[in-house]
Amino acid sequence: MIRIAIANQKGGVGKTTTAINLATALAATGQRTLLIDLDPQGNASTGLGIDHAARDYSSYDLLIGAAPLSDAVLHTKVPKLDIVPATQDLSGAEIELIEVAERTHRLKRSLDESAARWDICLIDCPPSLGLLTVNALVAAQSLLVPLQCEFFALEGLSQLLTTVERIQGRFNPTLSIMGVALTMYDRRNRLTDQVADDVRACLGRIVFDTVIPRNVRLSEAPSHGLPALIYDHRCVGSEAYMQLARELIDRLPRPDMAA
């Protein structure tokens, strides 16, 4: 099972929107897809129409060992897309895990138990670099970074890349950066073009060619409990995420590398 963490310690960069719509696009190509909601806000779960009352088990239960992955998984309205939802219990997980052995490997251990059930797993991380995100980076093979087209974008990215280097050195030497996706692109704003050019000049080919535009339909879709790709597959935001998914698929490791 290929595992990709979607992370950025800065909030409001389109991280969860990216996780939901990429997961939907991958499932649409026939990939058996699992989305892990690791954000205490649970926005990925809500955005896929998972009612709070249905979240008997969550990613919190995986981390503390209260339930196996098979019990925490829920089917979504999207064929071939499953989710492990999040609840606010995750907010206290970092404190509860302080004295737990191998606390950085709890998610990896849970995923290892059922790795053959899905082809690909996306992990939606919280907007921080705490223990929840560390668990995601230890469990993942690759990292995808949504990066908002704004002035301070690169400043926050350097902190995330430093964290990745530490994870590689201590816990997960095979972790790689799959790519950086530019989000909230506004063609009417000249600063947006400048930021995008600066990011590409700094990071080169690691930046995806596709940019995700600011789009009202992307913002509306979660309130209906649907990915934008289903809510309005013809809007520019949906078309951009479908194109990004094509690029992502081209960068996926070969099956023999993703066991």
Side-chain angles (χ1 to χ4, degrees), residues 12-14 17-18 21 148 182-188 192 211-224 226-242:
V13 300
T17 300
T18 298
N21 287 291
Q148 186 178 0
L182 297 175
T183 62
M184 301 184 179
Y185 184 84
D186 188 347
R187 299 183 188 279
R188 300 167 299 177
T192 297
V211 295
I212 307 300
R214 286 190 180 274
N215 180 240
V216 173
R217 306 300 267 177
L218 289 179
S219 302
E220 290 176 349
S223 66
H224 296 270
L226 291 170
L229 270 67
I230 292 178
Y231 178 66
D232 184 354
H233 71 278
R234 294 182 178 178
C235 73
V236 294
S238 292
E239 290 177 350
Y241 273 117
M242 286 188 280

Side-chain angles (χ1 to χ4, degrees), residues 129-201:
L129 295 177
L131 187 55
L132 296 178
T133 299
V134 169
N135 260 270
L137 296 178
V138 171
Q141 295 142 338
S142 304
L143 170 66
L144 189 154
V145 184
L147 195 67
Q148 186 178 0
C149 292
E150 64 165 25
F151 184 71
F152 294 111
L154 283 174
E155 190 173 283
L157 181 61
S158 63
Q159 185 179 356
L160 176 59
L161 296 181
T162 298
T163 299
V164 170
E165 290 178 359
R166 290 173 178 168
I167 297 294
Q168 290 170 328
R170 295 187 59 187
F171 305 118
N172 186 1
T174 62
L175 178 66
S176 64
I177 299 176
M178 176 164 286
V180 172
L182 297 175
T183 62
M184 301 184 179
Y185 184 84
D186 188 347
R187 299 183 188 279
R188 300 167 299 177
N189 188 338
R190 294 182 62 184
L191 177 61
T192 297
D193 284 322
Q194 182 181 339
V195 171
D197 290 343
D198 289 346
V199 172
R200 294 187 189 283

Side-chain angles (χ1 to χ4, degrees), residues 1-5 107-109 111-113 115 119-123 138-143 258-259:
M1 178 170 64
I2 299 169
R3 305 173 189 176
I4 304 171
L107 180 61
K108 181 181 185 302
R109 188 178 301 171
L111 292 178
D112 285 345
E113 294 173 359
D119 300 312
I120 190 164
C121 172
L122 301 183
I123 308 171
V138 171
Q141 295 142 338
S142 304
L143 170 66

Side-chain angles (χ1 to χ4, degrees), residues 53-110:
R55 304 176 196 182
D56 295 328
Y57 295 106
S58 68
S59 51
Y60 166 79
D61 296 292
L62 295 186
L63 292 176
I64 67 169
L69 179 61
S70 57
D71 287 350
V73 168
L74 296 175
H75 298 301
T76 72
K77 301 172 185 176
V78 181
K80 292 188 177 292
L81 175 57
D82 296 330
I83 187 171
V84 175
T87 60
Q88 290 190 348
D89 292 335
L90 271 175
S91 299
E94 297 199 19
I95 296 175
E96 294 181 41
L97 291 173
I98 286 177
E99 297 183 358
V100 174
E102 295 189 321
R103 59 184 180 273
T104 58
H105 288 67
R106 306 290 288 187
L107 180 61
K108 181 181 185 302
R109 188 178 301 171
S110 293

